[in-house]
C-alpha cells in the first residue's frame, strides 16, 4: 500500500511542477515526472510478490508469473511520452528564440 | 466486408508515410494525395452506410476467444462509429482540398500533409477502437499531430498556443492513462465490451465511480468543456485555418465528446449522478461559451469560443437523454434527445468547419483577423460572403438550415423531459449566438471599411478555386443536412448511432457474442 501512496505522491509532485512553476523547462520536467509516476503505477499493478518473468518452460506450472500486459502497456506509454516530451522541448526552444526568456509571465501574447 | 474496417487506419497511415518520403521531391503529389485519400475514405464510409450493415467486428491478429477471454485487439464499427467516421472523413476531405491553395504560403508543405494524414488516422482509430488502451494510443497520435499542426506557423502566437495546448493536453492524457490502469486493476481486462460485462456482473464499486470521474476530467479536457476550456480559444485561433476547422469541427468531437459518450453509455452502467454531472457541464459550457464569445473582436477567436458553446448543446442533448434513461423514463424520449445531440454534432462539424474556412479566406486575402479593421468585403468576395452567411444562419438556428432542426429537437426534448430551465437557457444562448454572428457579418462583410480595399496596395479579390469549392460544398451541405429530419433518411444514418447508445447494456453481448 505504501508503494501506491508514494506513487500518488510522485504524481502530485509532477502536478505541482506543472501548476506552480513559471519556467517552461520546469513545466516540462513536471509533466515528465507525472508520466513516470503513471508508468510506475502500471508496473505496480502487474507485480506479483515472488513472481518471475512470464516465459513458458517445463516447470511453468509450478512458478508464479508477474502480469506481462501492463509491461507491454508501459513500453507503449514510454514511447508516446518520448514523442510528447520531444515536441514540448522543441516548442520551448523555439519560444526561447522568439522571446529570449523561459518565463511564462513574459510569454503572454494571447489572452481574452 | 469486415476486412474494410482496418483500412480506415491503414490508408491514412500509409498516405502519411508516402507523403513524408516523396512529398518534398514531388510537391503536387503531396498536395493532391491527401485529398484523394480522404475522398476514397469518405466514399468507403458512404458505401458502408448505404449497405445498412451496422455492425462489423475485426479482430487484429485473428486470435479466437480463449475460453471467455478476448485476446485479439478488437476494432468495432457500429452505428455510432460509422456516424463519426462520416463526419471525420467528409470534413477532412474539404479541409484538405481547401489547404491545396491555402497552405502554399507556408514552407515545408509536405510535413503539413503528413501531420494531417496522421491526425485523421488517429481520429479514425479512436472511433473504431474496441480496446481502451488502443483507444489511448490512437488518441495520443491524433493529439500529438494536432499539437504540431497548431504550431505550424512558428510565430509567437502559434508557439505559445501550442505550448499551452500541449501542457493541458499532456496532463489530460496522463489522467486518462491513470484511469486505464485503474480500470485494468479492477476488471483485469482492457476490451471495452469485456470491461462492460465485468462491471455489469460485479456491479459498480466506489473504485469504478472514481475511475469514471478521472475519465470525465481527462476527456472533458480534450473536449474543452467549460471548466477545462482554457486552451481551446488559443489553439484553435492560432492554427492555420483548415486545421482550425479540423480541430473545432472534428477533433474535439472524435477524441473528446465521442469517447465520453462511448465510455459512459456503453462501458459504465449509466448512473443518475454521472448523467447529472454531464448535463450540468454541458449547460455551463453552452451558456458561458457564448457569453465569452460575444465580446471577441478577433474573428477566429470568436468562432473558437462558439465551438465551446455549441459542444455544450451536443452534451446537453445527450445528457438529457442519459438522465431520462437513468431515471427509467420514456425510452423514445431518450432516443429523441440523444438523436438531437448527435444530429447537432454533425451539424456543428459542417457549419463550424465552414466558418473557419471563411475566416481563413478573409485572412488569406486581407491578412487581417480583427473585425474592427475589416469591412466592405461583400462586393469583393461574393462567394466567401454568401457561404459565410449560410453558415452563420445555420449556427444561429434559422430555418431551413440544419442548425435550426437540431436545436429545435434538443429544446423540445428538454421541455418534454420537464427541464424547463434548460430549454429556456438553450433558447437564450441561441439568441446570443444570432447576435454575435450578426456582428461578424456586419463588421466583416457589409460594413464600410476604414481601410479602402480598392485604393490600397492590397488588392482583395475572391479566393482561388480549391478554397471556393470547399466552401460552396460545405454551404450546400448546411442545407442538405436538414433532410436528416426526414424519417426515412434518419433511419439510415442517425438511428443506428442512437440505438448503440440507447441499448447501452447490450453492447458487450453484441460485440463479444456471449
Amino acid at each position: 500500500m505504501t508503494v501506491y501512496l508514494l506513487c500518488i505522491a510522485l504524481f502530485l509532485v509532477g502536478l505541482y511542477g506543472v501548476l506552480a512553476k513559471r519556467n517552461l523547462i520546469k513545466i516540462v520536467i513536471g509533466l515528465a515526472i507525472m508520466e513516470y509516476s503513471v508508468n510506475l503505477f502500471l508496473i505496480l499493478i502487474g507485480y506479483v510478490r515472488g513472481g518471475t518473468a512470464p516465459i513458458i518452460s517445463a516447470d511453468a506450472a509450478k512458478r508464479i508469473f508477474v502480469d506481462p500486459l501492463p509491461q507491454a502497456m508501459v513500453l507503449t506509454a514510454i514511447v508516446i511520452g518520448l514523442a510528447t516530451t520531444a515536441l514540448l522541448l522543441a516548442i520551448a526552444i523555439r519560444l526561447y528564440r522568439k522571446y529570449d526568456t523561459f518565463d511564462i509571465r513574459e510569454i503572454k501574447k494571447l489572452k481574452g | 466486408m469486415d476486412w474494410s474496417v482496418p483500412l480506415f487506419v491503414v490508408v491514412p497511415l500509409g498516405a502519411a508515410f508516402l507523403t513524408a518520403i516523396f512529398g518534398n521531391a514531388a510537391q503536387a503529389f503531396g498536395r493532391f494525395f491527401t485529398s484523394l485519400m480522404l475522398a476514397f475514405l469518405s466514399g468507403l464510409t458512404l458505401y458502408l452506410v448505404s449497405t445498412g450493415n451496422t455492425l462489423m467486428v475485426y479482430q487484429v491478429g485473428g486470435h479466437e476467444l480463449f475460453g471467455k477471454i478476448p485476446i485479439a485487439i478488437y476494432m468495432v464499427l457500429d452505428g455510432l462509429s460509422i456516424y463519426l467516421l462520416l463526419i471525420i472523413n467528409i470534413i477532412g476531405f474539404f479541409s484538405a482540398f481547401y489547404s491545396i491553395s491555402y497552405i502554399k504560403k507556408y514552407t515545408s508543405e509536405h510535413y503539413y500533409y503528413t501531420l494531417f494524414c496522421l491526425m485523421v488516422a488517429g481520429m479514425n482509430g479512436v472511433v473504431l477502437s474496441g480496446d481502451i488502451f488502443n483507444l489511448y494510443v490512437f488518441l495520443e497520435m491524433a493529439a500529438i499531430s494536432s499539437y504540431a499542426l497548431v504550431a505550424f506557423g512558428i510565430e509567437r502566437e502559434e508557439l505559445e498556443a501550442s505550448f499551452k495546448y500541449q501542457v493541458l493536453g499532456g496532463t489530460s492524457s496522463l489522467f486518462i492513462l491513470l484511469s486505464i490502469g485503474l480500470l485494468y486493476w479492477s476488471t483485469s481486462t482492457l476490451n471495452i465490451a469485456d470491461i462492460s460485462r465485468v462491471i455489469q456482473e460485479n456491479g459498480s464499486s466506489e473504485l469504478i465511480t472514481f475511475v469514471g470521474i478521472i475519465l470525465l476530467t481527462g476527456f472533458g479536457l480534450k473536449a474543452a468543456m467549460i471548466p477545462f476550456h482554457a486552451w481551446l480559444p488559443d489553439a484553435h485561433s492560432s492554427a492555420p485555418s483548415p486545421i482550425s476547422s479540423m480541430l473545432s469541427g472534428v477533433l474535439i468531437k472524435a477524441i473528446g465528446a465521442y469517447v465520453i459518450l462511448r465510455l459512459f453509455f456503453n462501458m459504465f452502467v449509466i448512473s443518475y449522478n454521472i448523467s447529472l454531472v454531464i448535463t450540468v457541464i454541458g449547460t455551463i459550457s453552452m451558456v458561458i461559451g457564448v457569453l465569452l464569445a460575444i465580446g471577441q473582436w478577433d474573428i477566429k477567436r470568436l468562432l473558437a469560443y462558439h465551438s465551446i458553446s455549441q459542444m455544450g448543446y451536443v452534451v446537453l442533448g445527450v445528457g438529457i437523454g442519459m438522465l431520462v434513461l437513468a431515471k427509467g423514463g420514456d425510452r423514445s424520449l431518450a432516443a429523441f434527445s440523444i438523436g438531437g445531440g448527435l444530429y447537432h454534432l454533425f451539424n456543428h462539424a459542417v457549419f463550424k468547419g465552414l466558418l473557419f474556412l471563411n475566416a481563413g479566406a478573409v485572412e488569406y486575402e486581407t491578412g487581417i483577423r480583427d473585425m474592427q479593421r475589416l469591412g466592405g468585403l461583400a462586393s469583393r468576395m461574393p462567394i466567401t460572403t454568401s457561404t459565410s452567411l449560410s453558415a452563420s444562419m445555420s449556427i444561429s438556428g434559422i430555418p431551413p438550415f440544419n442548425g435550426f432542426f437540431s436545436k429545435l429537437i434538443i429544446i423540445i426534448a428538454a421541455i418534454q423531459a420537464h427541464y424547463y430551465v434548460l430549454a429556456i437557457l438553450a433558447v437564450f444562448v441561441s439568441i446570443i449566438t444570432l447576435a454575435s454572428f450578426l456582428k461578424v457579418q456586419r463588421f466583416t462583410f457589409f460594413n464600410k471599411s476604414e481601410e479602402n480595399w480598392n485604393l490600397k496596395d492590397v488588392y482583395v479579390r475572391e479566393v482561388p478555386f480549391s478554397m471556393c469549392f470547399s466552401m460552396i460544398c460545405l454551404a450546400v451541405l448546411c442545407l442538405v443536412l436538414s433532410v436528416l429530419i426526414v424519417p426515412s433518411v434518419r433511419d439510415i444514418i442517425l438511428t443506428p448511432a442512437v440505438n448503440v447508445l440507447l441499448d447501452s447494456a447490450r453492447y458487450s453481448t453484441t460485440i463479444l457474442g456471449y
Side-chain angles (χ1 to χ4, degrees):
Chain A
M1 200 62 214
T2 329
V3 187
Y4 291 107
L5 286 178
L6 285 175
C7 191
I8 297 290
L10 195 60
F11 188 83
L12 293 178
V13 168
L15 196 60
Y16 170 79
V18 173
L19 293 176
K21 290 296 169 190
R22 299 214 166 87
N23 185 312
L24 292 183
I25 302 296
K26 287 184 181 163
I27 292 175
V28 179
I29 293 174
L31 268 176
I33 292 175
M34 277 165 84
E35 189 198 314
Y36 296 149
S37 79
V38 174
N39 288 346
L40 178 63
F41 179 72
L42 288 176
I43 288 288
L44 285 175
I45 288 170
Y47 178 70
V48 179
R49 190 173 292 271
T52 54
I55 300 164
I56 294 285
S57 60
D59 59 341
K62 280 179 284 180
R63 288 190 292 148
I64 307 168
F65 292 137
V66 295
D67 187 351
L69 192 62
Q71 298 176 2
M73 279 159 66
V74 165
L75 280 179
T76 319
I78 287 173
V79 175
I80 293 171
L82 175 75
T84 323
T85 315
L87 189 60
L88 264 168
L89 287 173
I91 300 279
I93 291 168
R94 288 275 191 175
L95 273 170
Y96 184 76
R97 285 194 193 146
K98 296 277 178 197
Y99 288 89
D100 283 328
T101 177
F102 279 127
D103 192 340
I104 53 168
R105 280 168 299 187
E106 289 171 35
I107 304 171
K108 47 173 187 184
K109 275 192 74 103
L110 296 164
K111 52 185 164 187
Chain B
M1 285 299 282
D2 281 2
W3 54 268
S4 64
V5 177
L7 279 187
F8 286 102
V9 180
V10 172
V11 171
L13 269 184
F17 183 69
L18 289 178
T19 322
I21 292 180
F22 299 115
N24 201 19
Q27 294 281 346
F29 169 79
R31 264 176 220 146
F32 289 99
F33 193 58
T34 311
S35 309
L36 265 178
M37 180 271 292
L38 281 160
F40 165 70
L41 288 184
S42 313
L44 186 61
T45 322
L46 283 173
Y47 173 70
L48 289 178
V49 169
S50 71
T51 56
N53 178 4
T54 52
L55 182 72
M56 284 189 239
V57 181
Y58 181 86
Q59 298 171 359
V60 181
H63 302 287
E64 297 297 318
L65 281 176
F66 181 78
K68 281 197 168 186
I69 307 165
I71 298 178
I73 296 169
Y74 279 49
M75 291 182 91
V76 180
L77 187 133
D78 57 8
L80 185 61
S81 305
I82 204 160
Y83 187 69
L84 261 291
L85 278 182
L86 203 60
I87 300 175
I88 295 168
N89 291 307
I90 288 179
I91 306 293
F93 167 70
F94 288 122
S95 295
F97 198 73
Y98 179 97
S99 310
I100 292 173
S101 300
Y102 184 86
I103 220 72
K104 275 182 186 157
K105 64 178 178 182
Y106 293 94
T107 51
S108 338
E109 275 177 65
H110 60 291
Y111 289 131
Y112 171 85
Y113 290 111
T114 308
L115 288 168
F116 198 109
C117 292
L118 278 176
M119 191 165 78
V120 171
M123 288 189 289
N124 282 349
V126 167
V127 299
L128 284 175
S129 182
D131 174 291
I132 194 162
F133 188 71
N134 246 33
L135 190 148
Y136 168 76
V137 173
F138 282 126
L139 177 143
E140 281 293 275
M141 209 163 103
I144 291 175
S145 39
S146 75
Y147 303 151
L149 280 169
V150 166
F152 199 73
I154 48 170
E155 286 305 319
R156 292 182 168 211
E157 291 90 353
E158 282 97 335
L159 292 171
E160 186 192 336
S162 174
F163 195 84
K164 212 185 261 184
Y165 182 21
Q166 281 186 60
V167 170
L168 285 171
T171 316
S172 76
S173 298
L174 290 171
F175 274 116
I176 293 164
L177 189 59
L178 182 66
S179 61
I180 291 172
L182 285 167
L183 264 181
Y184 181 70
W185 197 15
S186 54
T187 62
S188 310
T189 174
L190 288 170
N191 190 306
I192 295 178
D194 209 26
I195 293 176
S196 160
R197 182 186 62 84
V198 173
I199 291 178
Q200 279 175 27
E201 277 174 11
N202 300 350
S204 205
S205 63
E206 274 159 13
L207 183 61
I208 298 288
T209 317
F210 178 61
V211 171
I213 292 164
I214 304 181
L215 274 177
L216 196 60
T217 315
F219 287 109
L221 256 162
K222 294 275 186 206
M225 297 280 88
I226 266 288
F228 318 113
H229 69 289
W231 59 271
L232 184 137
D234 295 343
H236 288 201
S237 61
S238 304
S241 287
I243 294 308
S244 307
S245 107
M246 280 300 276
L247 294 180
S248 257
V250 186
L251 191 83
I252 53 172
K253 300 178 175 63
I255 71 174
Y258 162 80
V259 189
I260 292 179
L261 298 188
R262 174 66 86 202
L263 297 186
F264 284 97
F265 275 89
N266 292 144
M267 197 172 82
F268 295 113
V269 177
I270 296 176
S271 73
Y272 182 77
N273 292 339
I274 289 284
S275 7
L276 196 64
V277 170
I278 288 179
T279 317
V280 167
I281 287 180
T283 318
I284 295 175
S285 306
M286 184 176 80
V287 177
I288 307 215
V290 81
L291 292 178
L292 288 168
I294 193 161
Q296 300 295 326
W297 283 104
D298 182 331
I299 180 165
K300 283 177 80 174
R301 220 176 159 75
L302 185 144
L303 294 176
Y305 274 115
H306 272 294
S307 290
I308 300 174
S309 167
Q310 299 297 315
M311 284 309 286
Y313 270 105
V314 174
V315 174
L316 173 67
V318 176
I320 289 173
M322 209 169 166
L323 277 174
V324 172
L325 280 180
K327 286 197 293 192
D330 185 5
R331 283 175 71 83
S332 63
L333 174 60
F336 186 62
S337 183
I338 294 170
L342 288 180
Y343 185 19
H344 199 69
L345 192 84
F346 202 158
N347 292 346
H348 177 248
V350 172
F351 56 62
K352 188 50 66 66
L354 176 54
L355 281 165
F356 268 115
L357 296 188
N358 291 138
V362 170
E363 198 190 355
Y364 182 82
E365 284 299 330
T366 63
I368 300 173
R369 278 181 4 207
D370 186 357
M371 281 189 279
Q372 279 165 316
R373 290 174 58 208
L374 283 166
L377 289 174
S379 55
R380 303 241 138 222
M381 307 171 77
I383 296 179
T384 310
T385 311
S386 52
T387 49
S388 154
L389 197 61
S390 73
S392 301
M393 290 206 277
S394 187
I395 194 174
S396 356
I398 292 172
F401 289 95
N402 54 7
F404 168 73
F405 295 108
S406 48
K407 283 188 186 176
L408 190 68
I409 292 177
I410 293 170
I411 291 165
I412 292 176
I415 292 173
Q416 285 187 345
H418 306 291
Y419 296 111
Y420 299 110
V421 181
L422 298 186
I424 292 168
L425 280 175
V427 175
F428 169 71
V429 169
S430 192
I431 292 169
I432 304 185
T433 309
L434 179 64
S436 73
F437 276 93
L438 284 177
K439 171 179 158 185
V440 172
Q441 291 299 323
R442 179 170 181 276
F443 282 95
T444 314
F445 296 109
F446 293 107
N447 207 11
K448 281 268 165 54
S449 87
E450 290 170 23
E451 313 195 6
N452 194 334
W453 303 119
N454 296 320
L455 300 175
K456 288 285 284 266
D457 47 354
V458 225
Y459 180 66
V460 177
R461 61 200 151 85
E462 193 49 84
V463 287
F465 166 73
S466 84
M467 293 162 79
C468 282
F469 175 79
S470 297
M471 291 194 292
I472 293 171
C473 287
L474 283 174
V476 171
L477 213 55
C478 273
L479 263 177
V480 170
L481 274 180
S482 307
V483 301
L484 266 180
I485 200 82
V486 179
S488 57
V489 184
R490 193 178 60 208
D491 285 347
I492 300 173
I493 300 174
L494 196 56
T495 314
V498 175
N499 284 344
V500 170
L501 295 181
L502 207 58
D503 297 330
S504 49
R506 286 235 314 276
Y507 179 76
S508 63
T509 339
T510 334
I511 304 298
L512 295 174
Y514 58 87

